[in-house]
């Protein structure tokens, strides 16, 4: 189920909230509200693919049992064995579903082998719930975590707002909140900012990101014939689409979490305001950066083992990040690009920081835009063609497939679409650079008539925009 | 402002708005999904046909239907009522596949007792997968349940375009002529040799499809999308006809390398359909007074509405009925000869008037 769907907004979310808080009114010794929320999360998760549910349910049970065994044991050898089982088991499942075919295909190609391909459908959010549980398993080995009730642990993994696309929450952030009896009851102090965040996130996803998506899809579909202006509009368009899509989703997750009195950590902090690549990764998908730092970069030695080793560690972390985003060479390449950029920043930080901030921003933003092309493209040739077009200085007219994505409703002359497009880019980029980010707005929420009206308008407009009537102009019948 | 008041100020209008949307759509109902429009003229438009068709199939009173692609859209139900009896309705989908027609027939048979179906069978509509539709269908309008209709109630196009269209004709009511005008495109174009030649192709095919190229898919399509209705409703008579494309359309097939593959589908249709007592198969493809005259066509495929009326007369008079497969094979020979002659000449060589 998606947040931006009728079934979720009009039925699942209101019903789940009402039933959860009604069950929360029962005496505290009862955990029916949590049982219900776990079951509701399974419904959310398996709505389109019920076959996914046993995978996540099995993963929860096994990881919980392993962790409890480690927490109960003082024998380091046993804990180490259990830790290895936990890590290989989690990564093994992730590998089988997500990476097996990628590696098998490449090995077959490189060595003329005939390794069979699984062609398995990737369970939704497997990368997220695998990483979340890995963090608990690893921390259980070092006895850094308390013993959690199984229901609280299950909610930490399955809690539907963050289940499919993160943020990657840590057990220590979420489980105590579920264990806190105060959170059993409806609180308008949480619900109001939650609804406010949800409305803004929904608007970012449905109206902004999905509008850019139309132009971007048209552009990437014609990657080899773009002129310079088109290539820049497509590349920057994807940069904006991705941000509004993912951060919109995270805003919705934050908002829904708050409606349930659960504070989900910040995942985006206006990343396109960054002046260098290090700052970018401190602001973009922050919970992934945190995970990779804590569980890969630091164990590799971080920056404590000399400059060459630090640079190597950075490259490894970004290659893992690339592979985490998807099983493909272009994701690896994208990760490598960011890794190299991070190493260069590390090596020439003094000189770079001495540049004018405007120049720093232009360099960082341009690099991010170009790197996203490789992230989005389905073939290296397509990505290279777009990058080449960006610097070809061919300023022929922009095709209507791109400009028409920004057409206003009401049948205005299509000649105006290029102007609307320009406005969309200016306003969207301006919002990324000039406005406070949504998380900060949510956490410092003050009830006013203005933001009540804004919330209503954003939700109404977004819900009405979830579907339209496709007019088929079959001119020749 | 207190936080509780804020919650009330947002949730109240939101709930009210969503309820109001449902009530107003259920009342105005621009696609007639719930009831026939009685207060205004419904926006029945070719460009949004897949949205208006299910409501037409479900809610109009009728006992006979015209089913097919754009070449069936100019039939006049009023004339068919007078010539064939009964009360006709159009269930047409421009460029539709047989599956498009099947989903409409399914609604029609579930909601009405039908005595006659006049079905235009385009060979093109048989060559796709059996569940293939030309345009994505808005499933929520095709199901009988109310609970999946949210995309209809909360839809920017419905509110922004279709409701205003309804309001513009508020106070007017549908009369009998409304059914004749429904989807009719007859008076929008010029009918001439020039119009035919504008859409005619006289090229060498890039790839020639073999005779059996589409046979399996066509068989599957007929068995999945047509025969189930014929066998389930023996009391309903199916008048199935091959439409009279201009001779140039067969030449176009030659240019695309599909002529033999598409001609081969016609005897197959006879094989599969002629064994049922409630089916009459007609072949109007070789009616020379129609298909060899330029004045009848707006392009290689589409004929004027007078041909639709003439087809109605033929069905009423029992003309052009195919009673043996040999007839179709002979007709195929004629079509092949015309196609080759036109293709070789590179222009229209038959009557211009």
């Amino acid at each position: 189920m998606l947040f931006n769907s009728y079934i979720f907004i009009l039925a699942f979310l209101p019903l789940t909230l009402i039933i959860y808080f009604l069950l929360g009114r029962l005496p505290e010794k009862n955990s029916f509200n949590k049982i219900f929320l776990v079951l509701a999360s399974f419904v959310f998760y398996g709505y389109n693919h019920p076959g996914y549910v046993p995978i996540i349910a099995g993963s929860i049970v096994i990881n919980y049992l392993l962790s409890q065994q480690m927490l109960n044991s003082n024998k380091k050898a046993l804990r180490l064995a259990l830790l290895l089982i936990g890590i290989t088991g989690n990564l093994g499942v992730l590998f089988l579903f997500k990476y097996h075919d990628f590696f098998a295909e490449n090995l077959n190609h490189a060595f003329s082998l005939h390794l069979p391909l699984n062609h398995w459908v990737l369970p939704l959010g497997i990368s997220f719930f695998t990483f979340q549980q890995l963090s608990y398993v690893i921390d259980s080995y070092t006895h850094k975590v308390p013993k959690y009730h199984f229901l609280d642990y299950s909610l930490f993994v399955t809690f539907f707002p963050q289940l499919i696309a993160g943020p990657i929450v840590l057990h220590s952030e979420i489980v105590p909140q579920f264990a806190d009896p105060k959170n059993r009851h409806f609180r308008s102090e949480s619900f109001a900012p939650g609804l406010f965040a949800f409305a803004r996130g929904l608007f970012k996803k449905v109206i902004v990101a999905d509008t850019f998506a139309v132009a971007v899809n048209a552009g990437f579909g014609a990657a080899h014939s773009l002129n310079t202006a088109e290539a820049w509009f497509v590349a920057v368009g994807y940069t904006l689409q991705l941000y509004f899509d993912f951060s919109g989703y995270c805003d919705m997750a934050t908002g829904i979490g708050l409606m349930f009195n659960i504070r989900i950590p910040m995942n985006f902090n206006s990343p396109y305001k960054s002046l260098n690549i290090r700052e970018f990764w401190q602001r973009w998908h922050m919970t992934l950066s945190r995970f990779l730092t804590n569980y890969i970069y630091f164990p590799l030695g971080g920056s404590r083992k000399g400059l060459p080793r630090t640079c190597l560690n950075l490259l490894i972390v970004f290659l893992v990040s690339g592979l985490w985003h998807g099983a493909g060479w272009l994701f690896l390449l994208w990760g490598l690009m960011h890794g190299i950029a991070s190493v260069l920043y590390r090596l020439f930080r003094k000189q770079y920081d001495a540049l004018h901030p405007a120049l720093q921003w232009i360099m960082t933003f341009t690099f991010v835009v170009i790197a996203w092309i490789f992230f989005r493209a389905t073939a290296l040739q397509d990505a290279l063609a777009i990058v080449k077009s960006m610097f070809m200085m061919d300023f022929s007219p922009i095709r209507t497939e791109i400009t028409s994505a920004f057409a206003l409703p009401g049948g205005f002359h299509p000649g105006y679409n290029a102007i609307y497009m320009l406005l969309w880019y200016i306003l969207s980029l301006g919002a990324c650079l000039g406005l406070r980010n949504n998380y900060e707005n949510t956490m410092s929420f003050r009830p006013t008539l203005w933001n009540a009206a804004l919330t209503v308008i954003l939700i109404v407009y977004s819900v009405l925009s979830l579907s339209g009537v496709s007019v088929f102009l079959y001119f020749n019948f | 402002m207190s936080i509780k008041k804020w919650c009330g100020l947002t949730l109240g209008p939101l709930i009210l708005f969503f309820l109001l949307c449902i009530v107003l759509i259920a009342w105005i109902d621009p696609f007639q999904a719930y009831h026939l429009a009685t207060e205004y003229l419904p926006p029945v438009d070719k460009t949004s046909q897949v949205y208006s068709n299910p409501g037409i199939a479900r809610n109009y009173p009728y006992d006979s239907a015209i089913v097919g692609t754009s070449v069936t859209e100019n039939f006049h139900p009023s004339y068919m009522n007078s010539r064939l009896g009964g009360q006709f309705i159009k269930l047409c989908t421009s460029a539709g596949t047989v599956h498009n027609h099947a989903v409409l027939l399914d609604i029609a048979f579930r909601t009405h007792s039908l005595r006659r179906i006049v079905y235009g069978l385009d060979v093109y509509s048989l060559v796709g997968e059996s569940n293939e539709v030309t345009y994505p269908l808005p499933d929520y309008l095709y199901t009988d349940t109310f609970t999946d209709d949210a995309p209809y109630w909360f839809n920017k196009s419905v509110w922004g375009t279709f409701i205003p269209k309804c309001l513009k004709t508020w106070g007017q009511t549908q009369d009998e002529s409304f059914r004749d005008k429904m989807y009719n495109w007859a008076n929008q174009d010029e009918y001439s040799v020039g119009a035919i030649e504008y859409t005619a192709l006289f090229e060498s095919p890039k790839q020639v499809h073999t005779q059996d190229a589409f046979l399996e898919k066509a068989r599957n399509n007929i068995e999945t999308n047509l025969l189930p209705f014929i066998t389930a409703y023996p009391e309903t008579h199916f008048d199935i006809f091959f439409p009279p494309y201009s001779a140039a359309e067969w030449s176009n097939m030659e240019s695309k390398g599909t002529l033999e593959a598409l001609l081969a589908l016609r005897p197959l249709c006879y094989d599969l359909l002629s064994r049922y007592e409630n089916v009459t198969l007609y072949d109007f493809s070789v009616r020379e007074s129609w298909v060899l005259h330029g004045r009848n066509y707006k392009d290689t495929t589409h004929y004027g509405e007078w041909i639709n009326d003439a087809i109605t007369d033929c069905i009423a008079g029992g003309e052009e009925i195919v009673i043996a497969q040999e007839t179709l094979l002979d007709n195929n020979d004629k079509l092949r000869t015309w196609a080759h002659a036109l293709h070789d000449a590179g222009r229209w060589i038959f009557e211009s008037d």
Side-chain angles (χ1 to χ4, degrees), chain A residues 308-377:
Chain A
R309 184 64 188 271
T310 303
C311 295
L312 181 67
N313 291 344
L314 280 171
L315 280 177
I316 291 172
V317 165
F318 278 102
L319 284 173
V320 170
S321 172
L323 209 54
W324 181 87
H325 281 88
W329 286 109
L330 286 174
F331 288 115
L332 266 174
L333 180 59
W334 169 79
L336 182 67
M337 289 169 78
H338 274 276
I340 290 171
S342 300
V343 167
L344 288 175
Y345 178 70
R346 184 92 192 179
L347 294 175
F348 302 105
R349 184 174 178 170
K350 259 189 182 169
Q351 295 89 324
Y352 183 90
D353 286 350
L355 297 172
H356 190 279
L359 189 59
Q360 289 183 34
W361 180 83
I362 289 170
M363 288 171 72
T364 305
F365 187 70
T366 307
F367 168 77
V368 168
V369 167
I370 291 174
W372 283 139
I373 296 171
F374 292 84
F375 188 86
R376 165 65 173 78

Side-chain angles (χ1 to χ4, degrees), chain A residues 23-24 26-35 151 184:
Chain A
L23 291 172
L26 295 173
E28 279 179 19
K29 61 181 179 182
N30 287 315
S31 296
F32 293 132
N33 59 336
K34 292 180 188 172
I35 295 170
L151 264 180
R184 293 168 64 94

